[in-house]
Amino acid sequence: MTTTPQGDTTTPAMLIQHISDPHIGAARHGHRNPETGENTADESVIRCFEHAIRTGQERGVAAQIISGDIWDRGTPTPEMIARVIDPLRESIRNGIQVIAEDGNHGRHGVRPGHRGPAELLRAIGVTVYDQVGMHTVETHSGPLHVLGVPWPQRAVLAHQAGVDDVDPAQLDEILADYLTELIEDQMEAADMGAGEHLVVSSHITINEGTLHRGSETVVNPKGVFEEIQLPIEALTATGAHYVALGHLHEHQDVGPRASYSGSLDRLTFGEAEDPKGTLLVGLTDVDPTREFIPTPARRLLNLHLDADTEPDLSDLEPGTLVKAHLAPGERVVPEPIRKTITAAGARLVKTKPAPMKRTVTAAKIQNGLTLTDATRQWAKAEKLDSTTTQKVLDRINNYL
């Protein structure tokens, strides 16, 4: 098992596990396994989830924190529910505290005001947070305080804040401020003893320009462009010993005390090169230690025939799923390459033709039109005011 310790080397007072975005039930690019009759994509995400949970059990963590998107949809099948409950029940039997939330995918298909599937986990002793609030659990290493900040549903927050009729261009900023106030209120009311540890868990996008959004923009195309975002300071200002973030699928640290652990499996080809795993976090009086534990994520390969029409596939591993990016003018993968993929025990699951050149776009680029210029022209045509235009430009720059 490969691990990469980070942070302070002080012996931790409490060891916890940070898991996010299992997406149980995600069946993208799967096919029927002839030996089991199951979808191979289902099998892969379940295998990764079970591996992560078992790792925490074997390492004797005090708590397992799941920062959202346990299931891929808010209406999982009974079997997918059972595949989550069974390993978590074993954790609880072993004296491990489990804290979780639905995330945005856990709300897909769920009516506003109705409970998400994570509510089912309460029956086996999981602490589930569905609104901003402090939860204190007794672990075998002492009390642990977890401030839960669930994925912010715009309509719900707007109703709570009483700002239903606000200009949509200003709504997200107003709601981000309101969410920050809710967090501050919870901290003011918190009752924590000296030396006790605090963790913030949230399924949210941090509006740091250096973050990689990863394939969440693919899994949920409108997601990270049309949702409330918070500055990391809104969460770290709590004084938390660690901030456990979910939602973005690429594992990345956000300063010395906050991390996206990333999704457990490769859900799309946008994640083909990403390491996948879970974090073991050692809580100390200073910065936490963070140990990345890889999961047995499926292998995905972007085969760029548009850059190399005769690629070397000699090291192609069995079970690899292949997406072919075709050369200009090609409509199918050449037969010799298909045969090589099949002979290696890999599987071609998707092809992407080369994009057609757009004369108008090329002409504009030749004339020196920048993305900023194009955006300003669009904003002028749409009669947007200068404040709104600048907000759009700032948002675009965050994603470049």
Side-chain angles (χ1 to χ4, degrees):
M1 182 184 299
T2 302
T3 59
T4 54
Q6 299 178 25
D8 189 88
T9 57
T10 304
T11 301
M14 180 181 294
L15 183 65
I16 65 171
Q17 184 177 23
H18 176 196
I19 298 168
S20 74
D21 298 88
H23 283 270
I24 302 300
R28 299 172 190 84
H29 310 306
H31 59 276
R32 183 179 178 276
N33 184 335
E35 296 181 2
T36 64
E38 300 293 334
N39 185 295
T40 55
D42 281 338
E43 291 180 324
S44 185
V45 293
I46 291 169
R47 182 168 57 249
C48 291
F49 180 70
E50 291 176 343
H51 181 276
I53 298 299
R54 186 169 58 251
T55 295
Q57 295 167 355
E58 293 172 350
R59 296 290 293 270
V61 299
Q64 292 174 319
I65 297 177
I66 308 176
S67 302
D69 284 359
I70 303 171
W71 289 279
D72 195 53
R73 291 192 59 80
T75 54
T77 66
E79 179 62 21
M80 294 301 105
I81 293 171
R83 300 307 288 266
V84 169
I85 285 178
D86 289 347
L88 292 185
R89 182 185 283 118
E90 188 63 25
S91 288
I92 291 169
R93 286 174 180 165
N94 290 339
I96 299 172
Q97 292 285 354
V98 181
I99 302 96
E101 72 153 285
D102 272 315
N104 62 308
H105 279 260
R107 301 303 306 174
H108 289 184
V110 179
R111 294 181 180 179
H114 285 206
R115 290 171 288 185
E119 286 292 323
L120 299 169
L121 301 179
R122 293 186 193 272
I124 62 169
V126 174
T127 299
V128 178
Y129 60 90
D130 57 4
Q131 56 186 342
V132 178
M134 186 72 76
H135 303 267
T136 300
V137 294
E138 290 295 333
T139 78
H140 58 64
S141 298
L144 174 65
H145 306 278
V146 179
L147 176 60
V149 183
W151 178 69
Q153 300 179 67
R154 183 184 284 108
V156 173
L157 274 182
H159 179 70
Q160 291 176 353
V163 291
D164 300 28
D165 298 327
V166 171
D167 180 351
Q170 301 174 341
L171 183 59
D172 282 0
E173 184 176 349
I174 292 173
L175 294 183
D177 290 342
Y178 175 69
L179 185 56
T180 300
E181 290 176 7
L182 292 179
I183 294 170
E184 293 171 348
D185 290 345
Q186 286 296 316
M187 290 307 304
E188 289 180 6
D191 182 16
M192 293 188 295
E196 295 178 352
H197 289 101
L198 168 65
V199 171
V200 176
S201 178
S202 185
H203 193 84
I204 201 164
T205 298
I206 298 301
N207 63 0
E208 302 295 317
T210 57
L211 286 180
H212 298 285
R213 265 58 187 174
S215 75
E216 179 62 16
T217 55
V218 178
V219 174
N220 184 15
K222 296 183 179 179
V224 300
F225 292 95
E226 295 188 0
E227 63 185 16
I228 301 165
Q229 301 180 27
L230 282 183
I232 186 61
E233 292 78 15
L235 303 177
T236 57
T238 60
H241 295 88
Y242 180 67
V243 178
L245 297 167
H247 193 29
L248 302 188
H249 289 183
E250 183 176 340
H251 165 56
Q252 52 202 307
D253 297 330
V254 191
R257 294 197 177 193
S259 295
Y260 283 97
S261 61
S263 57
L264 297 178
D265 199 4
R266 298 182 180 96
L267 302 178
T268 75
F269 282 91
E271 301 177 57
E273 304 299 324
D274 295 350
K276 294 298 175 181
T278 177
L279 284 173
L280 296 183
V281 180
L283 302 180
T284 70
D285 291 334
V286 288
D287 293 342
T289 62
R290 287 171 283 193
E291 184 180 354
F292 183 77
I293 309 294
T295 52
R298 61 183 180 173
R299 294 179 294 275
L300 305 181
L301 172 66
N302 284 295
L303 184 60
H304 284 282
L305 300 176
D306 51 349
D308 183 358
T309 57
E310 297 183 0
D312 180 7
L313 298 176
S314 59
D315 59 351
L316 188 60
E317 297 182 41
T320 301
L321 303 180
V322 179
K323 176 182 178 181
H325 299 255
L326 300 179
E330 296 289 342
R331 307 307 300 174
V332 297
V333 177
E335 188 61 24
I337 293 178
R338 281 180 173 272
K339 289 182 177 180
T340 300
I341 292 172
T342 302
R347 189 180 185 94
L348 179 65
V349 297
K350 192 172 184 180
T351 59
K352 181 180 180 181
M356 299 293 291
K357 291 184 178 180
R358 297 180 62 184
T359 305
V360 173
T361 301
K364 286 183 177 179
I365 293 174
Q366 291 170 3
N367 291 333
L369 184 66
T370 66
L371 178 58
T372 298
D373 293 335
T375 303
R376 290 190 183 280
Q377 288 186 15
W378 166 79
K380 183 177 181 180
E382 295 294 323
K383 295 181 172 56
L384 300 183
D385 58 49
S386 59
T387 300
T388 303
T389 299
Q390 189 59 50
K391 182 177 179 181
V392 171
L393 288 169
D394 291 343
R395 185 68 64 87
I396 289 174
N397 287 331
N398 278 341
Y399 294 103
L400 294 179

